[in-house]
Amino acid sequence: MLLVVLTISFLFLTLLFVAARRRHFLLPKTKENQIYSQLQPKFISLFTPDAKILAEIEQTEHRRKIVEESERLMAWASLIKFSELTEMPLTQNKKIEHDALEILTDRALLDEDVLALVWFVVNHQNFNVNQKLIKKFQAVWENSPDMQKTTGLFELAIRTDNAQLFQSVFTEAEQFIKNDQLSDLRLGELRELASSHFWLLSPTARMSGAGFWLKQKLADSRRAL
């Protein structure tokens, strides 16, 4: 009989212990339990990419694309016909464009090549103009001046914000007209053409010595006419 009582008591205590353990796991976590769970180590997979490595890979890829873009555009500038300049590969890199323009300028030996390159540059505002191209274009203009080339030089003066170039073109054009070398442009038209372009120069260029001279010259021309 005693053995039965002891057995029943042991089973009862065992059931109480199991119920208590189960209740512990089913109850919401206490603050201590939550803190304990936060302190548990967080394991990172060996396959999780490192941010620094990803950044280096991205930079390497970016440099590779720039090199490929530069090589492609330099090859194009070295071989393209000047009549096919509009087929220029697209790029957003100013330095690559500048280098390509340098190659094209060096290759432009004939007057028609210089003119084709200038009109291409004038019609593409994103291009920076180099002084070598301006000098070549001025030489072509001086050999056969006309209204279109004169306008083109004023455009390049604005693009480079060069009041001195503007002054030089205006003075020479004025002399060409007086010598009947610029037959499709009269003095009044030259003044109007110069005035409309002059105000497109930056305030700094207009206030320079050449800019002040131009302003006075245009005012004198207006009074003379």
Side-chain angles (χ1 to χ4, degrees), residues 79-110:
L79 300 171
I80 193 68
K81 295 178 181 177
F82 284 89
S83 59
E84 300 172 354
L85 287 172
T86 53
E87 298 177 11
M88 176 181 179
L90 296 176
T91 177
Q92 300 298 320
N93 191 303
K94 289 289 184 185
K95 178 161 189 325
I96 295 176
E97 285 182 351
H98 174 78
D99 293 343
L101 184 59
E102 287 283 339
I103 293 174
L104 289 166
T105 302
D106 290 337
R107 288 184 57 214
L109 303 177
L110 302 176

Side-chain angles (χ1 to χ4, degrees), residues 43-60:
F43 297 98
I44 300 175
S45 170
L46 292 174
F47 301 101
T48 302
D50 182 84
K52 185 177 179 181
I53 294 175
L54 285 177
E56 290 176 355
I57 292 172
E58 187 176 344
Q59 290 175 4
T60 301

Side-chain angles (χ1 to χ4, degrees), residues 14-174:
T14 301
L15 289 173
L16 284 176
F17 176 76
V18 171
R21 292 289 295 171
R22 187 180 179 199
R23 183 171 178 274
H24 171 75
F25 285 112
L26 291 177
L27 283 175
K29 290 184 177 181
T30 64
K31 184 175 181 180
E32 291 77 8
N33 287 336
Q34 291 175 357
I35 294 173
Y36 176 75
S37 65
Q38 291 172 3
L39 293 175
Q40 291 295 312
K42 295 181 180 180
F43 297 98
I44 300 175
S45 170
L46 292 174
F47 301 101
T48 302
D50 182 84
K52 185 177 179 181
I53 294 175
L54 285 177
E56 290 176 355
I57 292 172
E58 187 176 344
Q59 290 175 4
T60 301
E61 180 66 13
H62 179 66
R63 287 193 292 268
R64 183 188 65 78
K65 287 182 179 179
I66 290 177
V67 170
E68 289 181 354
E69 193 175 51
S70 177
E71 289 176 348
R72 184 175 71 253
L73 198 55
M74 296 309 106
W76 173 86
S78 300
L79 300 171
I80 193 68
K81 295 178 181 177
F82 284 89
S83 59
E84 300 172 354
L85 287 172
T86 53
E87 298 177 11
M88 176 181 179
L90 296 176
T91 177
Q92 300 298 320
N93 191 303
K94 289 289 184 185
K95 178 161 189 325
I96 295 176
E97 285 182 351
H98 174 78
D99 293 343
L101 184 59
E102 287 283 339
I103 293 174
L104 289 166
T105 302
D106 290 337
R107 288 184 57 214
L109 303 177
L110 302 176
D111 287 1
E112 53 265 34
D113 294 341
V114 174
L115 290 173
L117 183 55
V118 167
W119 303 140
F120 174 74
V121 170
V122 166
N123 291 320
H124 290 76
Q125 295 296 323
N126 57 315
F127 262 91
N128 291 323
V129 185
N130 62 58
Q131 293 300 315
K132 194 186 301 182
L133 179 58
I134 291 175
K135 288 180 180 179
K136 283 192 172 187
F137 185 42
Q138 270 190 288
V140 173
W141 173 68
E142 288 169 354
N143 289 332
S144 57
D146 58 30
M147 182 177 180
Q148 185 183 28
K149 297 189 193 78
T150 306
T151 304
L153 279 167
F154 283 145
E155 292 282 348
L156 294 183
I158 292 167
R159 184 78 69 84
T160 55
D161 203 30
N162 190 333
Q164 192 168 4
L165 172 61
F166 204 115
Q167 174 188 352
S168 173
V169 173
F170 179 83
T171 304
E172 283 195 72
E174 192 176 44

